[in-house]
Amino acid sequence: MTATTASTSAAARLSSATIRGYALGSVGTGGFATLPGLVLAYYLTDTLGVAAAAATVVVFLPKVLDVVLNPLIGSWSDASAHRTGSRRRFLVVGAALLPIFFALTFAVPDGLGTAAGAVWVAVAFIASAMAFSFFQVPYIALPAELTHDYHERSRLMAWRVAVLGVAILLFGAGGPELRELGGGGRWGYLVMGVVAGIVLGLGMFAASRVAPSRPASTAVVGGGVPFAASLRVVRSSGPFRVLLGAFALQALATGTMLAGAQYVATYVLGDERSVSILFAALVGPAVAVMPLWSKSVRAWGKRRAYLLASTLFLAAAVALLGLMTGGGWWVYAVVALAGVGYAGMQMLPMSMLPDVISDHERSESGTARAGAFSGVWTAVETVGLALGPALVLAILAVTGFVSSTGDEDVVQSDTALDGIVLAFSVAPAILTALSIVVLLRYRLAAEDAHAQNGNHR
């Protein structure tokens, strides 16, 4: 019997409580990935008065730490699971610390000048990223340990991404609304940071409860391998390198579109608060079409479904170039099409990752390093998402965008407005096109077996 034809019933179907608990972790991962990407650059340039070039450094450099930290946490997580039988303690530490540092990121006191405020944000954001990594790395490793079934992983990820979509709506649309309810300006951002931080922490605590516990001697075969050896294990997997490359390019593409949305809302559509409608247009369809992406996996396999999702997102990004001639209702329709593709671009690679880990485990005679794989995965994702705002700010700096303190009404030049559209449309389109080229090289035994099984139906 092939890996993909093994029945779910024989592979112990995941309980509703496990799926629900794991999915709630996406409140934390989705919220932290979305809200800073949406408002942090704008907070720096249009509330604190930080120049676009300097804001680029503040937004991006703190996340560079994750390149080293996340694989290291993955190695620690593997070793801890080997000793104790569970990754739960890492999840709890992240859930406890993130709300505190997230609130501090948006708590720059009124008396601080521009430079000091930029330093405050950078330090608090570094601490937030570290706390988030303690949760995110073992969280991404859990699916490979919760089930070994090809389709159960798709089911688990479908629910996770559905909740992720709700979280993106909640934080993407609700975050700016909280800012306005708090009075706008620095106080508004503080209210947003405190409330959002609490919600992030609650979702993360819920996910920590489903972390499996096993006898320590059988938790992770090969646990305790040194950090450098963990990276060598990851580099030895060709399918992982391909999948990671495609996912990294798409993280940068979506991070760029997220960061550009607030500037499009304010300067192209003429309404700062229309960013909430943009997010509803993006994520609302994403939640609704998730069952269709699950069905597409059974019909075509994960790789082909992933290629389709990426192509839909690419087409929508290209169409958004029409913003050069002005906005209108059509913008939200095109963003909704991007949302259909975005849903698949979130669910499918995340359900393919545990397949890759299991493939490596089989080829290496049982040596499982789920933490090492997830550590590298989350490091690359984090940098990609962080590079998104940095890329937007770099484009704005080159095209002549003028920053303000929030009390000023600045009229942007035509070149600056074109730069905003390029950052929101062309940059994500190019990055997504490159990711499709990379994804065409993805090969895995589970995918081949699924395709064979489909051809013999």
Side-chain angles (χ1 to χ4, degrees):
M1 182 177 291
T2 67
T4 57
T5 57
S7 69
T8 298
S9 59
R13 187 174 173 85
L14 290 170
S15 70
S16 297
T18 297
I19 289 180
R20 183 170 57 248
Y22 185 76
L24 284 172
S26 286
V27 173
T29 61
F32 189 75
T34 299
L35 195 52
L38 176 65
V39 302
L40 186 58
Y42 191 70
Y43 175 57
L44 287 163
T45 61
D46 283 49
T47 296
L48 303 183
V50 179
T56 302
V57 176
V58 173
V59 168
F60 176 63
L61 282 185
K63 307 301 279 289
V64 174
L65 178 65
D66 288 338
V67 175
V68 174
L69 182 63
N70 283 19
L72 187 59
I73 289 175
S75 181
W76 293 342
S77 174
D78 283 336
S80 178
H82 179 62
R83 291 193 307 270
T84 68
S86 179
R87 302 178 190 271
R88 185 171 293 126
R89 65 177 61 184
F90 283 79
L91 300 167
V92 171
V93 168
L97 294 180
L98 180 60
I100 298 170
F101 295 123
F102 188 81
L104 286 174
T105 301
F106 297 98
V108 177
D110 286 336
L112 286 185
T114 298
V119 172
W120 176 294
V121 172
V123 172
F125 198 40
I126 286 174
S128 298
M130 292 175 66
F132 181 65
S133 294
F134 268 87
F135 172 84
Q136 186 194 29
V137 172
Y139 177 70
I140 298 300
L142 288 183
E145 300 170 350
L146 288 170
T147 178
H148 295 287
D149 185 80
Y150 180 88
H151 290 297
E152 277 297 276
R153 286 168 176 166
S154 295
R155 177 171 166 249
L156 180 66
M157 288 303 152
W159 280 99
R160 184 206 160 186
V161 174
V163 174
L164 180 70
V166 174
I168 292 173
L169 273 178
L170 176 67
F171 287 94
E177 290 300 317
L178 275 174
R179 177 186 64 194
E180 299 307 316
L181 289 173
R186 297 192 186 204
W187 278 107
Y189 276 106
L190 177 59
V191 170
M192 181 198 73
V194 171
V195 175
I198 292 172
V199 177
L200 290 171
L202 290 174
M204 293 158 71
F205 272 119
S208 70
R209 298 174 61 85
V210 305
S213 297
R214 301 182 179 89
S217 61
T218 61
V220 178
V221 180
V225 178
F227 174 58
S230 296
L231 294 185
R232 285 196 295 272
V233 166
V234 170
R235 288 198 301 269
S236 69
S237 172
F240 178 76
R241 293 197 304 273
V242 172
L243 185 62
L244 181 66
F247 187 70
L249 287 165
Q250 292 183 357
L252 179 53
T254 55
T256 302
M257 188 174 281
L258 279 172
Q262 182 69 81
Y263 293 98
V264 167
T266 301
Y267 296 105
V268 180
L269 300 180
D271 181 4
E272 182 181 72
R273 300 179 73 170
S274 67
V275 67
S276 299
I277 305 175
L278 284 174
F279 263 80
L282 176 70
V283 183
V287 176
V289 302
M290 190 53 60
L292 297 179
W293 286 121
S294 295
K295 290 180 180 178
S296 74
V297 170
R298 292 191 175 272
W300 306 324
K302 297 176 185 178
R303 175 179 173 271
R304 283 191 284 181
Y306 191 13
L307 285 168
L308 174 60
S310 304
T311 302
L312 287 174
F313 187 85
L314 170 61
V318 171
L320 286 170
L321 188 59
L323 283 165
M324 287 283 192
T325 62
W329 65 268
W330 66 269
V331 175
Y332 304 108
V334 172
V335 171
L337 175 63
V340 175
Y342 176 73
M345 287 164 55
Q346 291 295 305
M347 170 206 164
L348 294 161
M350 292 303 300
S351 66
M352 293 160 77
L353 176 61
D355 295 338
V356 169
I357 294 173
S358 293
D359 179 77
H360 176 82
E361 180 180 357
R362 285 190 296 270
S363 66
E364 296 295 325
S365 302
T367 301
R369 297 293 298 172
F373 279 97
S374 65
V376 174
W377 181 274
T378 55
V380 171
E381 179 187 19
T382 299
V383 171
L385 290 171
L387 269 173
L391 179 57
V392 170
L393 289 168
I395 293 172
L396 296 186
V398 169
T399 55
F401 180 85
V402 179
S403 298
S404 64
T405 61
D407 298 325
E408 309 168 60
D409 289 325
V410 175
V411 177
Q412 302 294 343
S413 67
D414 289 341
T415 303
L417 294 176
D418 289 345
I420 291 172
V421 175
L422 290 173
F424 188 65
S425 171
V426 175
I430 292 173
L431 292 164
T432 305
L434 291 173
S435 75
I436 292 173
V437 173
V438 173
L439 186 58
L440 289 170
R441 298 172 50 219
Y442 180 79
R443 295 290 184 276
L444 193 71
E447 291 296 325
D448 294 338
H450 184 278
Q452 263 188 349
N453 183 50
N455 291 335
H456 288 89
R457 285 177 184 172

